[in-house]
Amino acid sequence: MKLLYSPTSPYSAKARMAAKYLGLDVESVTTNTEESPELLTGNNPLGKIPVLIREDMPSVYDSRAIMQYFNRMTKNGLYPRNPEKRTEAEVFEALCDGITDCLLAIVYERRMRPAELVHQPWIDRQWVKVTRGLDHIEANLPKTNKNLHGGHFALAALIGYLGLRFPGQWEKGRPKLRNWTKKFEKFFPAHADMVPQAPK
């Protein structure tokens, strides 16, 4: 299998970390979405990453769909078997992804528009969602041990993206979140190499 990804993409990071944790044989292929290569658009008409390319089978795209596919491949290796605990993990993953969505909206608003057309009220609205979500996570961090689930990888990707694009803007008043990565790395040492980061 091949996973099309970008080094800066938090959703790619989430899927790559999950594959590594599960011991799956997945080759990571760096992909520039702005160039819309055929390998990307031919496997995801939306031209978005990550995309999981399977041999002689349809591709899988959207990070949460990929995570669920990995879970089925490994017979529940990525989410709890207990229905209620699984729901909690999936909701937590959705929360982390939702905060990431808001961060990306801010980044693209600033990047894609001329400075004089950047709509600050839109950015402010997204940041309110971000801070509210982060405060909720700070107060409701899931247990982190050797049995990691999809929500843990979504959180690792989120914090990594915050560090990449919003350093110094989110840490104050959130000591648990600020220190969570150190605890996570004890159970997933490959984190530092797979977290969202600027291309080298």
Side-chain angles (χ1 to χ4, degrees):
M1 294 184 292
K2 295 182 179 180
L3 185 74
L4 307 187
Y5 85 105
S6 166
T8 61
S9 165
Y11 306 114
S12 296
K14 179 179 71 166
R16 292 179 69 221
M17 287 189 285
K20 177 74 172 180
Y21 171 72
L22 295 168
L24 298 175
D25 184 14
V26 178
E27 177 188 356
S28 295
V29 179
T30 305
T31 306
N32 187 339
T33 58
E34 294 183 4
E35 296 177 354
S36 299
E38 174 60 28
L39 185 62
L40 174 61
T41 57
N43 285 284
N44 180 358
L46 299 175
K48 299 171 67 175
I49 51 173
V51 179
L52 183 69
I53 300 176
R54 304 180 294 169
E55 187 173 353
D56 299 324
M57 298 177 70
S59 58
V60 182
Y61 46 87
D62 183 273
S63 65
R64 271 185 266 179
I66 293 171
M67 298 287 276
Q68 293 296 334
Y69 177 69
F70 285 166
N71 189 61
R72 290 190 295 274
M73 281 187 68
T74 57
K75 298 182 180 180
N76 292 306
L78 197 54
Y79 296 92
R81 292 178 180 273
N82 176 277
E84 185 58 30
K85 290 187 179 299
R86 174 165 180 164
T87 297
E88 290 177 5
E90 290 175 340
V91 169
F92 185 74
E93 180 182 358
L95 173 61
C96 292
D97 284 356
I99 296 171
T100 302
D101 289 343
C102 295
L103 295 172
L104 284 165
I106 294 172
V107 169
Y108 287 133
E109 177 70 17
R110 291 171 173 165
R111 179 183 299 167
M112 305 306 291
R113 292 180 184 272
E116 66 273 14
L117 295 179
V118 170
H119 191 56
Q120 190 60 42
W122 167 257
I123 291 176
D124 293 341
R125 184 186 305 176
Q126 299 308 310
W127 192 249
V128 166
K129 295 177 184 179
V130 169
T131 57
R132 191 165 58 217
L134 292 178
D135 287 342
H136 179 83
I137 295 176
E138 174 73 16
N140 298 277
L141 270 174
K143 292 182 179 179
T144 304
N145 51 39
K146 64 179 182 179
N147 297 315
L148 301 173
H149 58 60
H152 291 113
F153 294 107
L155 178 58
L158 165 60
I159 293 176
Y161 193 69
L162 282 165
L164 176 66
R165 299 299 190 201
F166 301 86
Q169 300 177 48
W170 63 274
E171 298 92 339
K172 186 177 180 179
R174 302 185 183 101
K176 294 179 182 178
L177 266 180
R178 190 175 63 246
N179 295 316
W180 180 81
T181 298
K182 294 178 181 178
K183 184 174 185 179
F184 176 71
E185 286 180 339
K186 293 179 181 179
F187 304 105
F188 188 70
H191 166 264
D193 296 326
M194 308 183 86
V195 71
Q197 53 194 283
K200 298 179 180 178

